[in-house]
């Protein structure tokens, strides 16, 4: 049996504020398999983003273990890419140079990294905006640049923290379709945090439903509907109702 890309074992996370001890996550256990598309949903403050940051190596669990391909994960790795809710683009660099940023840190030669970055801009439909600055792009376009930057580093695992939350509803649907197309073309493993039950059903192979703080996994749901998924499908509505019931306080 193939080893999972990520294994989360009994992970807990707590931290202190000025007044109290906050328990953010409690006894999280889950596995992420090769080519999975997993969405995590839960109420605000339940620790979804905290868990994603721990898997990214950007935060440390208070207890428990995260394994990347069987090896304890203690710091960021090039094999794990992350796309944040904020576009996190460098405003003084062109779109092309923003996409090439990780490759530059990896000491790839300028000509080759610009070629790779240009290829990924084509993939996300922004080939004509190489020399633009981030402020000259719409929010949806900026997020596509951020996704291209993450993909250009050729990660095994792509972590996405509410990447479409800041765009309008129509753009969000377009970006969801584009992301699925990129996932099918590149066969990356994706863990995607969202507040939207609809988005989770549209995108995911598996949905992780989390409880209010301290965040625990309430249920893991396999989404059996074939893609492309249609929101008018009665099964879509039944699954949304089930998840919303699980999220009731």
């Amino acid at each position: 049996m193939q080893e999972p890309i990520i294994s989360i074992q009994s992970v807990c996370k707590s931290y202190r504020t000025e007044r109290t001890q906050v328990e953010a996550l409690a006894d999280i256990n889950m596995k992420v398999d090769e080519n999975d598309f997993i969405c995590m949903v839960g109420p605000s403050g339940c620790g979804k983003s905290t868990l994603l940051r721990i898997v990214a190596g950007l935060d440390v669990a208070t207890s428990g273990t995260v394994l990347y391909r069987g090896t304890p994960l203690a710091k960021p790795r090039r094999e794990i890419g992350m796309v944040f809710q904020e576009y996190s683009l460098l405003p003084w660099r062109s779109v092309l140079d923003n996409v090439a940023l990780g490759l530059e840190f990896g000491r790839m030669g300028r000509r080759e990294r610009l070629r790779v970055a240009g290829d990924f801009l084509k993939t996300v439909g922004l080939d004509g905006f190489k020399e633009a600055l981030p402020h000259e792009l719409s929010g949806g376009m900026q997020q596509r640049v951020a996704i291209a930057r993450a993909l250009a580093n050729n990660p095994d695992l792509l972590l996405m923290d509410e990447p479409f939350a800041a765009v309008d509803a129509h753009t969000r649907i377009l970006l969801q379709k584009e992301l699925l197309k990129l996932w099918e073309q590149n066969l990356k493993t994706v863990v995607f945090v969202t507040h939207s039950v609809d988005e989770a059903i549209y995108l995911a192979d598996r949905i992780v439903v989390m409880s209010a703080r301290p965040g625990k996994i309430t249920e893991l749901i396999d989404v059996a509907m074939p893609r492309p998924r249609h929101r008018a499908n009665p099964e879509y509505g039944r699954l949304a109702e089930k998840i919303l019931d699980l999220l009731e306080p």
Side-chain angles (χ1 to χ4, degrees), residues 145-242:
V145 173
I147 292 169
R149 181 177 60 191
L151 289 174
N153 293 315
N154 195 29
D156 266 354
L157 173 64
L158 186 61
L159 307 175
M160 308 188 78
D161 190 7
E162 297 192 67
F164 306 150
V167 300
D168 63 85
H170 178 65
T171 302
R172 187 169 188 154
I173 289 171
L174 293 177
L175 288 172
Q176 289 167 3
K177 291 179 179 178
E178 287 183 11
L179 176 60
L180 281 179
K181 184 178 178 182
L182 288 170
W183 173 68
E184 289 165 354
Q185 288 173 345
N186 291 277
L187 291 177
K188 300 298 179 187
T189 304
V190 178
V191 180
F192 186 108
V193 165
T194 179
H195 275 102
S196 169
V197 171
D198 172 84
E199 185 165 66
I201 296 170
Y202 187 80
L203 292 173
D205 294 318
R206 289 192 292 149
I207 298 173
V208 178
V209 183
M210 294 183 66
S211 69
R213 192 174 66 227
K216 300 178 181 178
I217 295 177
T218 304
E219 193 162 339
L220 283 166
I221 299 173
D222 290 319
V223 183
M225 284 180 285
R227 294 186 178 93
R229 293 177 184 154
H230 302 286
R231 290 170 168 88
N233 183 341
E235 181 58 27
Y236 203 106
R238 284 192 289 268
L239 184 52
E241 185 175 7
K242 175 181 179 177

Side-chain angles (χ1 to χ4, degrees), residues 31-47:
K31 294 179 180 179
V32 179
D33 293 322
E34 199 88 39
N35 302 332
D36 260 353
F37 198 127
I38 292 177
C39 283
M40 298 169 55
V41 297
S44 294
C46 75

Side-chain angles (χ1 to χ4, degrees), residues 85-142:
Q85 180 175 340
E86 304 83 15
Y87 311 127
S88 60
L89 303 177
L90 299 181
W92 60 88
R93 292 182 65 133
S94 70
V95 163
L96 185 65
D97 281 332
N98 264 287
V99 175
L101 186 62
L103 304 174
E104 184 177 339
F105 289 152
R107 300 185 182 277
M108 182 182 286
R110 178 170 175 79
R111 179 178 296 181
E112 178 63 10
R113 70 175 180 258
L114 293 183
R115 183 194 66 77
V116 172
D119 287 346
F120 277 98
L121 279 175
K122 286 181 186 176
T123 300
V124 299
L126 291 175
D127 187 39
F129 294 87
K130 291 179 181 178
E131 302 308 319
L133 293 173
H135 76 269
E136 297 174 308
L137 306 182
S138 69
M141 293 166 76
Q142 289 186 56

Side-chain angles (χ1 to χ4, degrees), residues 4 6-13 24-33 36 38 40 47 51 54-55 61 63-67 206-211 214-221:
I6 293 290
S7 179
I8 301 169
Q9 302 173 357
S10 303
V11 162
C12 300
K13 176 66 177 179
L25 295 168
D27 196 29
I28 302 292
N29 292 276
M30 62 178 282
K31 294 179 180 179
V32 179
D33 293 322
D36 260 353
I38 292 177
M40 298 169 55
L51 181 58
I54 291 171
V55 173
S63 61
T65 305
V66 177
L67 303 177
R206 289 192 292 149
I207 298 173
V208 178
V209 183
M210 294 183 66
S211 69
K216 300 178 181 178
I217 295 177
T218 304
E219 193 162 339
L220 283 166
I221 299 173

